[in-house]
Amino acid sequence: MPVLTYAENAGGKFKKSTFEAVSYARAIADQTNTSLTAISIGDVSADELNALGKYGADKVLNVSNDQLKQFVNQAYASVIADAAAKEGANIVVLSNSFSGRGLSPRIGVKLQAGIADGAVALPEISGDKFTVKKTAFSGKAFATVQLTSVNKVIALVPNSYKVVEKQTAGKVEDFNADIKQSDLKAIIKEIVQATDKVSLPDAEIVVSGGRGLKGPENWGMIEELAGLLGAATACSKPVSDADWRPHSEHVGQTGIAISPNLYIAVGISGAIQHLAGVSSSKVIVVINKDPEAPFFKVADYGIVGDAFEVVPKLIAAVKEYKA
Ligand code: FAD
């Protein structure tokens, strides 16, 4: 029984989180002595498809149906579940991305599978026991769940597993998807790129600002630091509520949950609702003038100081390092 992984693309290019999911699925295939099949849906070039072999896919199923050029949740879930059934795969791995979060429960229902969404580590497999560590309560806690059903769906949190190059010669095959009209209820007609900045959910580094920055006019230094680091920008809820920043940047329990390699929080107190969306970041740096700010309790590095003095110094140091 091979492992099947869904290789998600954005505009025809595979994302880093896709390669993480493929690498993770490869490791599960190795743990269970089986092969790995990847499935790609949409307009993806032959070169891109071949690249999946580099991360461990033995076989790549390519679905290039005109009706599936744009992401349609129900239809994509049907195609992936169909591929799993036809390949005889009992483990499906995908990224816990925005699309992945919509797909995993749908695939789970179609395959009558147990689901571990928000997985952050490889499963522990011992005899019949298949145990996965995953995030719970909007990232406030970790849960260890046992998947007892034969079929299993695992959605991996971006940035929680390293991309591993394997140089497998992935064989690309066309896969004829049987699409039902009932799966095509929502059709995307146009995609408008909101920004050309680094996408927040995929970013490896995020520079985030809170109410301590006093007003929207002070975000120049946050943007400059983010630009120098190749980072995305984010903010706390009150900041987006006050329209200082767009709602698409709001992170936390009621915003986007992120897990970058580095999260730099500037002038953010570290309320539990904010931490819910950022605490699975690998390294957290907190800049706050109040030494008692709760964020320091979860920080890997803390700088007690005025953001308006500390951030310009950081910018200067990064510029000097890059020169
Ligand atoms: P504040 O709490 O006002 O903190 C500002 C910080 O800046 C302080 O720690 C202060 O010491 C520091 N500071 C001030 N001046 C400077 C300076 N010059 N230099 C350095 N530091 C300075 N919040 C979210 O962020 N995300 C969510 O998803 C979210 N969901 C919520 C859901 C619910 C149901 C509720 C009730 C609340 C939610 N909140 C959320 C709000 C949350 O409880 C906090 O109110 C919010 O996170 C505080 O934002 P803040 O840290 O930017 O502002």
Side-chain angles (χ1 to χ4, degrees):
M1 283 188 180
V3 174
L4 181 76
T5 182
Y6 166 54
E8 179 183 338
N9 73 79
K13 298 262 176 247
F14 292 125
K15 305 158 105 180
K16 177 172 162 274
S17 54
T18 297
F19 297 133
E20 290 165 1
V22 176
S23 301
Y24 177 90
R26 173 76 250 172
I28 297 179
D30 290 344
Q31 276 178 311
T32 52
N33 292 320
T34 185
S35 60
L36 174 64
T37 299
I39 180 165
S40 161
I41 309 175
D43 244 347
V44 180
S45 70
D47 280 355
E48 279 288 305
L49 292 169
N50 284 327
L52 293 175
K54 208 163 99 183
Y55 303 100
D58 299 295
K59 183 157 91 172
V60 179
L61 304 176
N62 179 32
V63 183
S64 60
N65 185 306
D66 273 355
Q67 289 173 296
L68 299 177
K69 276 193 172 160
Q70 307 288 8
F71 177 71
V72 187
N73 228 325
Q74 293 87 342
Y76 274 44
S78 293
V79 171
I80 297 165
D82 186 31
K86 286 187 179 142
E87 289 290 302
N90 69 330
I91 301 174
V92 177
V93 172
L94 64 167
S95 172
N96 200 52
S97 60
F98 180 76
S99 330
R101 286 199 296 276
L103 287 171
S104 52
R106 290 182 167 88
I107 299 169
V109 168
K110 287 174 196 294
L111 296 179
Q112 298 286 291
I115 306 172
D117 56 343
V120 290
L122 273 177
E124 278 178 26
I125 306 169
S126 145
D128 282 348
K129 285 201 171 158
F130 194 103
T131 312
V132 187
K133 184 178 176 189
K134 53 159 279 175
T135 56
F137 302 115
S138 312
K140 286 198 214 65
F142 291 110
T144 308
V145 294
Q146 261 189 45
L147 300 185
T148 52
S149 54
V150 174
N151 291 334
K152 299 163 181 61
V153 176
I154 306 175
L156 177 72
V157 170
N159 289 323
S160 61
Y161 191 80
K162 270 209 166 108
V163 170
V164 183
E165 294 202 12
K166 283 279 183 181
Q167 302 296 355
T168 315
K171 188 167 56 118
V172 180
E173 289 176 12
D174 284 333
F175 182 78
N176 282 325
D178 190 11
I179 304 149
K180 295 183 215 79
Q181 281 311 307
S182 56
D183 281 338
L184 293 168
K185 283 184 187 145
I187 305 287
I188 295 174
K189 297 216 162 164
E190 189 190 4
I191 293 182
V192 181
Q193 187 82 23
T195 165
D196 55 3
K197 287 193 217 153
V198 181
S199 131
L200 183 53
D202 294 320
E204 289 189 47
I205 305 177
V206 173
V207 184
S208 189
R211 208 150 42 180
L213 287 174
K214 319 284 185 225
E217 66 282 5
N218 295 324
W219 244 263
M221 62 181 186
I222 299 294
E223 300 223 311
E224 188 177 0
L225 181 60
L228 284 167
L229 296 173
T233 48
C235 67
S236 64
K237 182 174 183 293
V239 163
S240 61
D241 284 348
D243 273 342
W244 294 0
R245 299 296 291 175
H247 276 284
S248 55
E249 289 196 358
H250 156 201
V251 289
Q253 184 183 322
T254 46
I256 302 174
I258 54 169
S259 50
N261 290 331
L262 174 62
Y263 183 70
I264 304 176
V266 186
I268 303 177
S269 55
I272 187 136
Q273 296 91 351
H274 184 84
L275 297 182
V278 304
S279 56
S280 52
S281 306
K282 289 250 168 60
V283 175
I284 296 178
V285 176
V286 171
I287 302 167
N288 197 306
K289 69 176 186 184
D290 175 8
E292 301 298 322
F295 222 147
F296 284 123
K297 292 205 178 86
V298 296
D300 296 283
Y301 299 93
I303 303 173
V304 179
D306 188 329
F308 298 99
E309 288 170 20
V310 176
V311 176
K313 281 185 185 159
L314 271 181
I315 290 171
V318 177
K319 280 185 179 164
E320 197 182 310
Y321 177 78
K322 286 185 138 191

